[in-house]
Amino acid sequence: MFRKALIANRGEIAVRIIRTLKEMNIASVIAYSQADFASMPVKMADQAICIGPASAIKSYLNIDAIITAAKITDADAIHPGYGFLSENADFAQACHENGIKFIGPSAKTLRMLGNKSEARKMAMKAGIPITPGTSGCVSESNYEQEALKIGFPVMIKASAGGGGKGIRIARNEQELRSEFHIAASEALSAFGDNSLYFEKYIERPRHIEVQFVRDLKGNVLVFPERDCSIQRRHQKLIEESPSPAVSETLREQLSEEAAKLANAANYIGAGTVEFLLDNEGKHYFMEVNARLQVEHPVTEAITGIDLVREQVLASAGETLAMPGITKIKPNGHAIEFRINAECPEKDFRPEAGTIKKLVLPGGLGVRTDTYLYAGYSLPVFYDSLLAKIIINAPSRRLAISRAERALRELETDGIKTTSAFCLRILNDEDYRLGKTDTAFIESLLKKTKHTK
Amino acid sequence: MDVIMLTALSRWMENTDLEEITWRSGKNKISLKTNNEPVESIIPSSPLQPVLAPAIGIFRSSQPGQTNALTEGMKLSQGSELGWIETGKTREALKAPCKGNLKIIAIKDGQPAEYGQPLFFIEPE
């Protein structure tokens, strides 16, 4: 087992990882930027080392600085968290070359899954349904033809994209021509790669994903699906498990397919297969997220399994207790709410400031993952996720009541958050009935505009 | 007690370092207390100018094969070479930001430094 692990991340996920490392008796080192000097993970970790200035490019995305920090502190493993370098194959490669274990899949696996069109090909080979789309990247000369072959509406995606970034939709030929060129230049500036591919745009789908953990012997643990349909501009806001739209039979099928993909990618550690579910109940493979996800606690809440621990064990070469494919049954229902420093009244504009007073919800079935403390000043350089409130209860109905109670307990004086907006969603009739899709928030916002 | 008296008293008090006084005159009695809560902690200022690590890395006082000639108290001109910070394969030079005396050397060859760590202190001339 590892002696000391360096966390190349910040915020709530750094806190989350440090907690498990402490329980596993692995020393923790946080590599932080100057802007995070007074942050909670810096206080919590056994050791902290400043790797660069506030700008993420020079700190949390700086491979040389992070590897040097691991060497200086004599860490034998690096946990990348999510975002930043978590799915960066070059980083995983650099760790390997410097004799440091990257807690995640191999550079080779990351490279393959990171290229979204390669991942689609792999899924197709494994017999998993994919949305109609181009078999590879499109070019300036053939993109119009390719779009017509698929049929409108068409989704334009950046090959190097992910996390909802670099996606545009074209509903006709005219839109296609303009969106294609915008998407190409956006992809170039965001990911340094302007290659694009097309997929059929599924109208109002649900976003369903399946978490798995695979060891190096090829044994796989598959978890009940998460439903992440409540999202705004491809950024998830509320996630739950199990999905109100997934039957036992479909769960069985999705689990089988996730395990197949994990095996095909020779994946080691924790990963997630994302699917779209259309309104006829048909599902399509979307992509594999080769990292720990923000919403992983939803799965932990209904299974009692610590996913960070499983990740660390798998990377250290430990094998899972059960051979072959093990499908874990859901126990009750869990919902996660992302509390972001955003102002919903002002088009979800990011908020900055100092938390003057902080009251976190608690009680039975309520877990709050956060890096906030009273008096903390939010740096403006990073993403707006402040806290995640994870509710679990024996049923979805009870989880909703508990969530309402918990969200009302939260106080973050000094900073506006998405918590009141989450409460509004909870009180929506369609949400309560489980009738949601990825356009839910957009429709809800329109609804309020009309009633005003 | 009139306003003039009160004003005079508080003026007088401002010119002392007393924090609390009680003044009696016949039946009249008044207590005054200054509101002396520190606004912010005092940051000690120093004439010394620090040279901070521009990156995380290993400090190298000289190029391979050469000896380091830095000693405390030596004179430096602006831009004098003080060594390098090595991060992976890149080396970033450390240079004196001003002319002056090298007062304190706070790092040794081969020692690690984190970003922003003070490595030298120079007394500007």
Side-chain angles (χ1 to χ4, degrees):
Chain A
M1 188 42 60
F2 307 124
R3 274 177 298 107
K4 198 191 255 189
L6 180 134
I7 297 122
N9 216 301
R10 62 177 303 281
E12 69 85 20
I13 198 62
V15 170
R16 163 73 190 89
I17 295 162
I18 292 168
R19 285 186 171 138
T20 288
L21 292 176
K22 281 185 191 286
E23 290 175 17
M24 296 179 83
N25 267 322
I26 299 170
S28 52
V29 186
I30 179 90
Y32 68 96
S33 86
Q34 211 168 27
D36 281 331
F37 174 74
S39 73
M40 191 189 272
V42 170
K43 290 171 205 277
M44 272 178 82
D46 297 319
Q47 213 177 336
I49 186 158
C50 185
I51 50 168
S55 153
I57 292 281
K58 290 178 178 158
S59 49
Y60 296 111
L61 290 169
N62 185 338
I63 294 178
D64 272 351
I66 293 165
I67 298 283
T68 304
K71 283 177 153 177
I72 287 173
T73 55
D74 195 27
D76 52 358
I78 293 182
H79 197 303
Y82 53 66
F84 296 127
L85 294 171
S86 59
E87 293 177 274
N88 186 305
D90 294 338
F91 181 54
Q93 182 75 34
C95 289
H96 180 73
E97 282 164 8
N98 284 279
I100 302 159
K101 197 84 197 169
F102 175 79
I103 300 175
S106 69
K108 196 180 159 201
T109 300
L110 282 175
R111 209 157 266 141
M112 182 173 60
L113 295 175
N115 185 322
K116 305 300 174 201
S117 51
E118 283 295 313
R120 274 168 63 86
K121 272 187 214 160
M122 194 188 72
M124 209 156 56
K125 262 192 215 154
I128 293 156
I130 59 169
T131 46
T134 50
S135 59
C137 291
V138 292
S139 68
E140 185 69 41
S141 58
N142 73 353
Y143 79 91
E144 284 172 292
Q145 267 172 291
E146 292 288 336
L148 285 173
K149 254 192 250 165
I150 297 162
F152 290 107
V154 149
M155 204 163 23
I156 306 167
K157 288 179 131 186
S159 204
K165 295 196 175 79
I167 299 174
R168 301 193 81 87
I169 293 145
R171 292 182 183 276
N172 51 51
E173 279 179 74
Q174 203 187 342
E175 275 183 23
L176 177 73
R177 278 189 288 273
S178 63
E179 296 293 310
F180 179 81
H181 293 105
I182 298 170
S185 67
E186 267 184 3
L188 187 66
S189 65
F191 315 111
D193 178 356
N194 69 353
S195 47
L196 302 170
Y197 67 97
F198 293 161
E199 257 175 57
K200 173 92 183 163
Y201 178 61
I202 310 280
E203 301 267 11
R204 303 188 75 112
R206 276 181 179 261
H207 175 119
I208 305 288
E209 57 183 35
V210 179
Q211 172 83 55
F212 66 85
V213 174
R214 184 177 178 273
D215 68 18
L216 82 183
K217 292 254 170 72
N219 305 309
V220 193
L221 270 185
V222 192
F223 296 82
E225 79 289 341
R226 295 189 287 250
D227 189 323
C228 313
S229 300
I230 308 294
Q231 43 180 265
R232 190 186 150 267
R233 296 191 183 155
H234 305 285
Q235 301 295 321
K236 298 164 188 168
L237 187 66
I238 300 177
E239 299 99 340
E240 62 182 291
S241 183
S243 166
V246 172
S247 63
E248 285 272 349
T249 335
L250 181 56
R251 180 169 309 134
E252 192 68 18
Q253 201 179 344
L254 294 175
S255 302
E256 282 293 333
E257 291 178 1
K260 258 193 217 168
L261 262 168
N263 285 329
N266 195 20
Y267 196 105
I268 294 166
T272 299
V273 185
E274 293 190 334
F275 295 97
L276 287 180
L277 186 65
D278 72 11
N279 45 26
E280 287 161 22
K282 272 194 280 184
H283 69 280
Y284 305 94
F285 165 79
M286 200 162 38
E287 60 181 45
V288 178
N289 288 147
R291 54 156 199 275
L292 184 68
Q293 280 188 288
V294 177
E295 61 270 26
H296 76 275
V298 163
T299 300
E300 296 182 326
I302 56 154
T303 61
I305 293 171
D306 178 342
L307 284 168
V308 174
R309 187 187 165 89
E310 293 303 321
Q311 240 188 334
V312 172
L313 290 174
S315 289
E318 306 258 332
T319 48
L320 294 165
M322 311 274 266
I325 298 170
T326 309
K327 293 169 199 150
I328 298 166
K329 292 242 178 309
N331 181 12
H333 200 92
I335 313 176
E336 176 186 270
F337 301 86
R338 297 197 193 185
I339 308 301
N340 300 329
E342 288 168 8
C343 181
E345 288 82 34
K346 289 178 185 151
D347 199 28
F348 294 83
R349 194 180 68 187
E351 288 276 313
T354 300
I355 307 276
K356 294 192 196 86
K357 183 183 163 198
L358 180 69
V359 179
L360 298 174
L364 181 65
V366 180
R367 162 179 170 185
T368 306
D369 276 21
T370 185
Y371 71 115
L372 295 184
Y373 57 83
Y376 179 65
S377 288
L378 271 186
V380 293
F381 311 98
Y382 313 109
D383 79 19
S384 58
L385 180 64
L386 297 176
K388 304 185 300 203
I389 298 170
I390 304 104
I391 307 294
N392 72 305
S395 71
R396 187 172 191 268
R397 194 174 56 81
L398 292 170
I400 289 174
S401 311
R402 185 166 283 167
E404 272 197 77
R405 185 271 290 171
L407 284 169
R408 286 187 207 285
E409 282 176 20
L410 177 73
E411 285 180 46
T412 54
D413 286 6
I415 297 218
K416 285 217 175 80
T417 73
T418 46
S419 82
F421 189 71
C422 287
L423 270 170
R424 243 180 77 192
I425 294 174
L426 278 183
N427 282 298
D428 183 87
E429 184 69 12
D430 285 339
Y431 179 80
R432 287 183 167 259
L433 292 170
K435 287 199 234 160
T436 57
D437 55 54
T438 52
F440 176 85
I441 289 184
E442 215 178 303
S443 315
L444 184 73
L445 289 171
K446 269 189 203 148
K447 240 191 266 177
T448 8
K449 248 186 207 160
H450 288 304
T451 51
K452 255 180 201 169
Chain B
M1 179 169 302
D2 58 17
V3 178
I4 297 167
M5 185 67 186
L6 201 61
T7 313
L9 208 56
S10 61
R11 285 246 173 91
W12 169 79
M13 195 181 164
E14 273 171 21
N15 290 316
T16 70
D17 55 4
L18 296 174
E19 287 188 0
E20 203 172 347
I21 59 159
T22 303
W23 188 82
R24 272 197 199 91
S25 168
K27 276 187 184 171
N28 293 327
K29 177 183 157 187
I30 183 164
S31 289
L32 291 174
K33 201 176 168 187
T34 55
N35 183 13
N36 261 348
E37 273 178 57
V39 180
E40 54 184 275
S41 58
I42 300 154
I43 298 156
S45 65
S46 164
L48 297 185
Q49 197 165 339
V51 179
L52 309 178
I56 183 177
I58 306 295
F59 173 70
R60 302 286 179 209
S61 60
S62 59
Q63 295 280 29
Q66 290 175 350
T67 49
N68 169 30
L70 293 180
T71 51
E72 283 181 358
M74 74 185 284
K75 292 234 182 284
L76 296 171
S77 42
Q78 191 180 347
S80 289
E81 276 183 355
L82 298 169
W84 289 266
I85 289 289
E86 209 174 68
T87 311
K89 285 183 188 104
T90 53
R91 277 188 148 210
E92 211 161 325
L94 295 162
K95 289 192 170 139
C98 59
K99 189 181 172 194
N101 290 318
L102 181 54
K103 269 295 214 199
I104 300 164
I105 300 175
I107 188 126
K108 289 192 188 113
D109 184 52
Q111 271 184 346
E114 57 185 329
Y115 174 79
Q117 184 178 324
L119 308 175
F120 301 97
F121 292 90
I122 297 167
E123 188 178 42
E125 221 170 66

